[in-house]
Amino acid sequence: MYVIAIVGAGGKTSRIKNLTREYVQQGKSVLVTTTTHMKKESDTVIPENIEDIRKQLNETGYCMAGMPATPENALVQKIGPLPEDFYETAVKEADITLIEADGSRGMPAKIPADYEPVIPENIDEIHIVIGMSALGKPASKAVHRLSLADKDLEIKEDTILTPLHLQKLLK
């Protein structure tokens, strides 16, 4: 069992999909879940019990699982975290667990709040991502929680983002 948290903005889900594909091709079983919210995919398991996750992992080598986080009639369906007991058991069932542990409301960059990212205690690795699509855009259009920027970042709403700005945001 190995657990990786993916945090940051602009590429978390793509990173998870790429890692999932690589690990499954290596013959490893992969659990994908979240500690915040993530878009529900067509094959996402909303488990009634741990057997639902175990069955999916055994049949396909892959299981995305979480609990409903949006109303059924919402335009974009999202999942939230698994119950703690499901999470603890499911992690032991999979070779690799990939956790989307941060949110950015679809923006390519972000300034995290004090309570972010939401990283479980059993993490082996953390991958931090930032979307290069933020380059050349005004910060107001590309940075989630821009209001949390301090003077050290030297980023205001009309700042056109450069590689140096993205480097500062990653730090």
Side-chain angles (χ1 to χ4, degrees):
M1 123 183 155
Y2 197 79
V3 184
I4 302 171
I6 293 82
V7 303
K12 293 182 304 293
T13 302
S14 294
R15 176 80 177 145
I16 287 171
K17 286 180 179 182
N18 289 336
L19 286 171
T20 297
R21 189 171 32 258
E22 287 177 29
Y23 287 127
V24 169
Q25 286 174 350
Q26 294 172 19
K28 296 182 174 161
S29 60
V30 179
L31 170 69
V32 174
T33 192
T34 183
T35 56
T36 57
H37 294 104
M38 70 187 296
K39 185 179 172 193
K40 180 182 179 215
E41 303 286 338
S42 61
D43 59 354
T44 300
V45 172
I46 306 295
E48 292 183 20
N49 56 57
I50 196 63
E51 276 304 314
D52 294 338
I53 296 171
R54 186 177 289 132
K55 180 180 181 218
Q56 184 75 11
L57 282 170
N58 288 335
E59 287 179 4
T60 67
Y62 158 78
C63 180
M64 175 187 266
M67 304 310 289
T70 52
E72 285 187 32
N73 62 350
L75 207 51
V76 176
Q77 292 289 306
K78 293 198 172 201
I79 58 169
L82 291 167
E84 189 66 29
D85 57 332
F86 282 26
Y87 171 78
E88 288 174 7
T89 302
V91 166
K92 292 174 187 169
E93 297 285 329
D95 296 317
I96 306 288
T97 298
L98 303 173
I99 301 172
E100 187 165 307
D102 211 352
S104 61
R105 303 230 183 249
M107 300 282 246
K110 79 175 283 181
I111 300 169
D114 292 343
Y115 54 86
E116 297 175 305
V118 183
I119 300 175
E121 292 182 19
N122 66 334
I123 293 299
D124 296 295
E125 259 180 53
I126 298 172
H127 295 197
I128 303 169
V129 299
I130 193 165
M132 297 305 288
S133 64
L135 289 175
K137 291 185 179 167
S140 62
K141 303 283 187 204
V143 180
H144 179 49
R145 292 210 177 87
L146 182 59
S147 62
L148 298 178
D150 61 27
K151 63 179 180 151
D152 293 338
L153 280 176
E154 300 172 0
I155 299 174
K156 296 184 173 26
E157 283 191 15
D158 60 348
T159 302
I160 301 301
L161 297 174
T162 67
L164 182 59
H165 292 119
L166 296 189
Q167 181 181 13
K168 286 180 179 182
L169 286 167
L170 278 171
K171 276 180 135 179

